[in-house]
Amino acid sequence: MTTAPLTFSPEVRAALDAGHPVVALESTIITHGMPFPQNLDMARNVEATIRENGATPATIAVMGGQIHIGLDDAALQALAQTDPAQVMKLSRADLAVCVANGRTGATTVAATMICAALAGIRVFATGGIGGVHRGAETSFDISADLQELAHSPVTVIAAGAKAILDLPKTLEVLETLGVPVIAYGQDAFPAFWSRDSGLAAPLRMDSPAQIAAAAAMRATLGLPGGQLVANPIPAADEIAAGIINPVIEQALAEAATQGIAAKSVTPFLLGRIFELTNGRSLASNIALVLNNARLGARIAVAMAEEPAV
Ligand code: PSU
Ligand code: MN
């Protein structure tokens, strides 16, 4: 087997070699999830938060035929300002095509998990995972993020699944795929902009050490795949379901009228919800990503303290 074309930043290479905690970060949230310049601020602040909490951040993207594990500030700036139409939104299906053809690509949750696993990184913090879209019974739109959680051995910290999705169906598919869904510090499954989706989470944990132990035991038992840690948005930053739900309904209706499909659905909905809430959804989104970065760093620290498996 030839080696995968991974280019590590010096900081990430040193941290991995020393067995120090590292947290992977995705790049689709930068290119397709938030507008400039808030996306760049977010990317920098998330990295700073991870450092403050004792771990090394590794933002992942594809450029020049290489999977980059850890980006310098110039690369972050360039990505944040690139027209989303010029950057591939990469999932499992198109990652190899992008690398082989020397194109520029931003990694979604699924592609970031694949790259993190290749790099030997076991923790990844983001905003929200993709899931089963509303109307999936006719559109068949189910994010590849879900099956990736069943394949790649990475613990993903998200604020639940985005409330634009069909959350009961998303939880059902995760159960079928054998993915542990762990609410952090509460019983309810969080709904991205809100702390409580009204659905019970299948599992609950209250400390990074418990989450690290569960990941290690999966490996010991020979179970493939990762874990989803659903970390509720801080109370001060949440948007009540009663406020966000009508906005989501409107954005979904517009997407249907305009025939938005496939990879464009999630970026379209996030963009419209941002406009319809006058930016409030973006402020919440940034707050929950920072909150997930904090927990991700603490989990990575706990894993580095566990005996290696
Ligand atoms: N979380 C965010 N904003 C985003 C995403 C996640 O706060 O933009 C991205 C992630 O990269 C996720 C993707 O993997 O949306 C899901 O896209 P789709 O529904 O097309 O699978
Ligand atoms: Mn989709």
Side-chain angles (χ1 to χ4, degrees):
M1 202 180 92
T2 48
T3 354
L6 301 177
T7 297
F8 292 86
S9 71
E11 184 194 11
V12 172
R13 181 72 272 163
L16 288 170
D17 287 346
H20 290 159
V22 176
V23 177
L25 298 163
E26 62 159 304
S27 41
T28 294
I29 191 171
I30 302 173
T31 55
H32 294 75
M34 294 182 186
F36 180 80
Q38 290 95 332
N39 59 352
L40 180 58
D41 278 354
M42 180 277 304
R44 287 169 169 164
N45 288 335
V46 164
E47 294 207 344
T49 300
I50 288 172
R51 289 194 181 94
E52 280 158 22
N53 286 274
T56 299
T59 302
I60 295 177
V62 175
M63 291 171 296
Q66 292 284 313
I67 297 171
H68 288 262
I69 311 288
L71 301 181
D72 61 20
D73 197 65
L76 274 187
Q77 284 188 49
L79 261 191
Q81 296 182 72
T82 308
D83 174 3
Q86 304 304 315
V87 183
M88 290 178 78
K89 177 183 161 188
L90 300 177
S91 193
R92 172 172 279 263
D94 31 34
L95 176 64
V97 170
C98 181
V99 179
N101 293 358
R103 295 176 62 181
T104 299
T107 52
T108 62
V109 168
T112 306
M113 288 182 75
I114 295 169
C115 299
L118 283 170
I121 301 172
R122 295 176 288 169
V123 182
F124 159 31
T126 185
I129 59 159
V132 180
H133 279 267
R134 300 192 198 181
E137 57 274 29
T138 51
S139 70
F140 277 49
D141 190 348
I142 301 176
S143 177
D145 292 352
L146 299 185
Q147 61 145 8
E148 203 54 51
L149 282 159
H151 285 303
S152 289
V154 178
T155 293
V156 179
I157 299 91
K162 287 185 223 67
I164 54 179
L165 302 166
D166 186 323
L167 297 183
K169 288 195 183 74
T170 300
L171 288 176
E172 288 294 344
V173 169
L174 286 167
E175 184 189 10
T176 302
L177 293 171
V179 176
V181 177
I182 302 157
Y184 189 72
Q186 67 178 30
D187 294 324
F189 185 64
F192 202 67
W193 295 289
S194 322
R195 288 175 65 81
D196 186 348
S197 64
L199 302 165
L203 298 162
R204 170 186 173 153
M205 289 184 189
D206 297 288
S207 73
Q210 286 178 311
I211 294 165
M217 186 55 73
R218 263 190 99 77
T220 302
L221 298 179
L223 297 172
Q227 318 187 92
L228 176 61
V229 177
N231 187 29
I233 184 172
D237 302 299
E238 80 170 329
I239 308 180
I243 295 176
I244 197 76
N245 283 342
V247 172
I248 293 170
E249 294 296 338
Q250 184 180 337
L252 285 165
E254 291 179 14
T257 312
Q258 296 178 38
I260 308 290
K263 283 177 185 276
S264 308
V265 173
T266 299
F268 175 86
L269 292 173
L270 291 175
R272 276 306 281 152
I273 292 167
F274 167 69
E275 289 164 9
L276 292 167
T277 60
N278 295 314
R280 187 162 167 212
S281 67
L282 180 59
S284 293
N285 197 341
I286 292 169
L288 66 83
V289 175
L290 291 172
N291 191 46
N292 295 340
R294 233 170 343 256
L295 180 58
R298 293 175 58 212
I299 293 170
V301 168
M303 284 184 182
E305 286 164 1
E306 283 264 327
V309 278

